[in-house]
Amino acid sequence: MKIHYISEKNSVLNHFLGQIRNVDVQNDSMRFRRNIERIGEIMAYELSKILPYKDVEIQTPLGIKKTTQIETDLVLCPILRAGLPLHNGFLNYFDHAENSFVSACRYHPNNDDEFEILVEYQAISNLNNKTVLLLDPMLATGQSIVAVHKKLMENATPTEFHIVVVIAAPEGIAHLEENLPENCHLWVASLDEKLNEKNYIVPGLGDAGDLAYGSKL
């Protein structure tokens, strides 16, 4: 799996990453969503650099201009619900893309720290011969992304598959490397230290879905 670390060089991306982590800033849910959206825009720009392009000619009011445009068909697929602000950022840049939606959550059958991943709601477009971008802010254990990837690939053969996360733990990256095809791309805005005993990212930022949309039952 090809891994792209975006925040290794200083940019405004690190400014927004700092704000979504800061407990004095992140409690403003509208600002939190907007900052995730901004991060999505930056990551969309970086990802766009390796997409295939084709030469085209554009008619202007005064003549013809030769340029390039994205050649592949894109499908954006956020994992609900936390992936929605990140999806908005990508959609701002890839406004021509198709969209699919999948929900995935941790289920604790014994009300303890052990959990399994439930993949439930699905609204998936035709992914064949297209470039799929799977969007989720947090890569903790990696189990949700592997489960969703398996579901998306049941009846599809995309040309390329990209996974985009804002914050990742090393354990989650290792799980993806063990369970996903080598031709997948992983885009990481920030790599954190580890998972804690409850499998939450440290230092992380908390629960991205709750910060964006409020606490769940």
Side-chain angles (χ1 to χ4, degrees):
M1 183 172 63
K2 175 65 175 178
I3 305 177
H4 310 263
Y5 294 104
I6 307 301
S7 63
E8 291 182 335
K9 295 182 179 180
N10 281 327
S11 74
V12 70
L13 172 63
N14 290 335
H15 177 81
F16 296 136
L17 286 168
Q19 288 195 355
I20 64 172
R21 295 181 188 272
N22 189 331
V23 294
D24 295 325
V25 177
Q26 64 175 202
N27 290 330
D28 182 340
S29 59
M30 183 172 69
R31 189 172 180 183
F32 181 84
R33 291 193 302 271
R34 180 63 182 122
N35 281 333
I36 293 288
E37 184 177 344
R38 288 165 167 166
I39 291 169
E41 292 173 344
I42 295 168
M43 297 187 77
Y45 170 73
E46 293 296 334
L47 190 152
S48 74
K49 295 178 182 179
I50 70 165
L51 294 176
Y53 287 79
K54 62 182 178 181
D55 295 328
V56 296
E57 292 185 346
I58 302 297
Q59 177 70 58
T60 81
L62 300 176
I64 301 293
K65 174 61 180 177
K66 293 183 178 180
T67 184
T68 60
Q69 66 183 29
I70 295 172
E71 187 172 25
T72 185
D73 293 322
L74 299 175
V75 180
L76 307 179
C77 183
I79 298 180
L80 303 177
R81 62 180 170 152
L84 289 174
L86 189 61
H87 172 255
N88 288 341
F90 270 78
L91 196 57
N92 288 343
Y93 275 29
F94 300 136
D95 56 287
H96 58 289
E98 297 179 60
N99 298 272
S100 295
F101 300 89
V102 177
S103 72
C105 64
R106 295 182 180 185
Y107 171 61
H108 300 263
N110 301 315
N111 295 317
D112 55 19
D113 292 340
E114 297 296 321
F115 64 89
E116 57 190 64
I117 301 299
L118 295 183
V119 179
E120 297 181 317
Y121 176 82
Q122 302 165 52
I124 303 173
S125 58
N126 182 358
L127 308 181
N128 289 324
N129 302 314
K130 297 174 184 176
T131 298
V132 178
L133 279 58
L134 181 60
L135 312 172
D136 195 12
M138 311 296 283
L139 171 55
T141 67
Q143 294 180 44
S144 293
I145 287 176
V146 169
V148 171
H149 177 270
K150 181 179 179 181
K151 177 60 65 175
L152 293 177
M153 299 296 286
E154 282 181 353
N155 299 300
T157 308
T159 304
E160 289 186 358
F161 201 99
H162 297 260
I163 298 159
V164 180
V165 301
V166 177
I167 296 175
E171 295 91 333
I173 293 176
H175 187 71
L176 297 193
E177 289 181 311
E178 292 173 3
N179 291 278
L180 295 184
E182 292 184 0
N183 61 352
C184 284
H185 288 259
L186 174 63
W187 298 80
V188 179
S190 184
L191 176 63
D192 273 16
E193 297 173 10
K194 61 181 180 179
L195 296 178
N196 66 13
E197 66 280 359
K198 295 184 180 295
N199 287 313
Y200 286 103
I201 301 173
V202 178
L205 53 74
D207 189 297
D210 287 359
L211 289 167
Y213 298 111
S215 300
K216 55 187 176 294
L217 294 177

